[in-house]
Amino acid sequence: GGRGCSSPRPEDDAMVKIRETAAALYASQPYAAAEIAVTEAHSLVGHVYHTGEHAKTLHFAGGGEPAVKLTLANDLAGALYEGAAPIVVIECHAGMDVGSIKKRIVARLEECAASVVVMHRIDTLKNTTLFELEPFFQNEYEEGSGISLKQVLFILTSNFGAGAISETAATGASTPDASTKTSTDSSTGASTDIEKPDDHQAVRRSLKGAMKREVCCRPAFGGRLSEVHIPFV
């Protein structure tokens, strides 16, 4: 709780809102939309209602306009919470250090422990700064402040893997036509025009490999930076 918090939407309502958000994205970003609607929707809602051992982190990686990723982050926050969502957007740049980033996050969490923290364009940060942030997303508490990170949803955006994803998508199977691929969520009865593209797994593998190569050639880092990498093309 906290004075800067908003009430979570009812679980079924949040699921519908998330899938509506993903459906609106599907025509331009089918891989990201499918990952969110088919794979991550239940996990996102579950994190809001059933706090885990540490924060949940999504990484919007790959190509496309950075503004699209930022809009999606805001829309997901709005899907999870009623009223004004408890969100802070940190615009990253090369001159930022770990201390200033953590200060911004802690200030937000002092207002509301259950916040959505968007770190926009983490690919602009120095690699040393990324490495120092690496444990932060997995910790239960922020060292020195005692602030709990368990209820936080971190959304990171970057262009990491853009070239690899674009190449894989261009050579892969064609994506389904959203107008003819309709599925129904059995838990809510909501109709969603979303199905994973035929080459979805190939694109995911491509992004995973790119993360290992591009982030200082350190294979473990990409996994600890975020538990979920959402591919944009």
Side-chain angles (χ1 to χ4, degrees):
R3 60 187 183 277
C5 286
S6 303
S7 299
R9 288 187 186 276
E11 293 184 59
D12 287 353
D13 185 23
M15 288 291 295
V16 170
K17 294 288 187 183
I18 290 170
R19 291 200 164 109
E20 286 176 350
T21 296
L25 182 71
Y26 189 78
S28 61
Q29 293 290 347
Y31 307 102
E35 195 75 19
I36 289 165
V38 180
T39 307
E40 288 301 313
H42 283 285
S43 177
L44 284 166
V45 174
H47 179 73
V48 171
Y49 276 91
H50 312 288
T51 304
E53 291 302 313
H54 55 75
K56 180 171 179 61
T57 307
L58 300 180
H59 177 201
F60 297 168
E65 291 294 324
V68 172
K69 297 169 186 170
L70 183 57
T71 297
L72 177 60
N74 279 286
D75 288 348
L76 285 178
L80 291 167
Y81 292 94
E82 295 179 326
I87 185 171
V88 61
V89 177
I90 300 173
E91 297 275 357
C92 298
H93 56 82
M96 296 183 83
D97 58 27
V98 171
S100 63
I101 293 171
K102 288 186 177 181
K103 185 176 180 180
R104 290 277 307 278
I105 295 172
V106 168
R108 173 64 245 181
L109 300 187
E110 286 176 341
E111 293 283 325
C112 178
S115 287
V116 179
V117 177
V118 181
M119 294 187 58
H120 188 44
R121 294 303 307 273
I122 62 166
D123 50 314
T124 64
L125 296 173
K126 295 178 181 176
N127 278 322
T128 52
T129 304
L130 279 175
F131 290 147
E132 289 180 71
L133 281 171
E134 180 180 358
F136 183 72
F137 301 112
Q138 297 295 327
N139 287 347
E140 180 179 338
Y141 291 95
E142 158 57 5
E143 294 179 13
S145 71
I147 296 290
S148 173
L149 302 175
K150 287 184 176 184
Q151 295 176 270
V152 184
L153 169 60
F154 286 107
I155 300 180
L156 320 176
T157 80
S158 81
N159 281 342
F160 288 132
I165 291 174
S166 178
E167 183 177 342
T168 302
T171 58
S174 60
T175 59
D177 179 355
S179 65
T180 61
K181 297 292 184 178
T182 302
S183 60
T184 300
D185 177 11
S186 60
S187 65
T188 65
S191 177
T192 55
D193 295 329
I194 290 179
E195 184 171 288
K196 288 185 177 180
D198 295 337
D199 57 345
H200 188 84
Q201 290 302 321
V203 167
R204 289 186 66 183
R205 288 192 299 270
S206 176
L207 175 56
K208 185 177 181 180
M211 285 299 298
K212 292 179 180 180
R213 294 190 303 273
E214 292 182 25
V215 189
C216 267
C217 307
R218 184 175 171 186
F221 180 72
R224 289 187 63 189
L225 177 66
S226 174
E227 58 201 27
V228 180
H229 298 290
I230 307 291
F232 283 70
V233 67

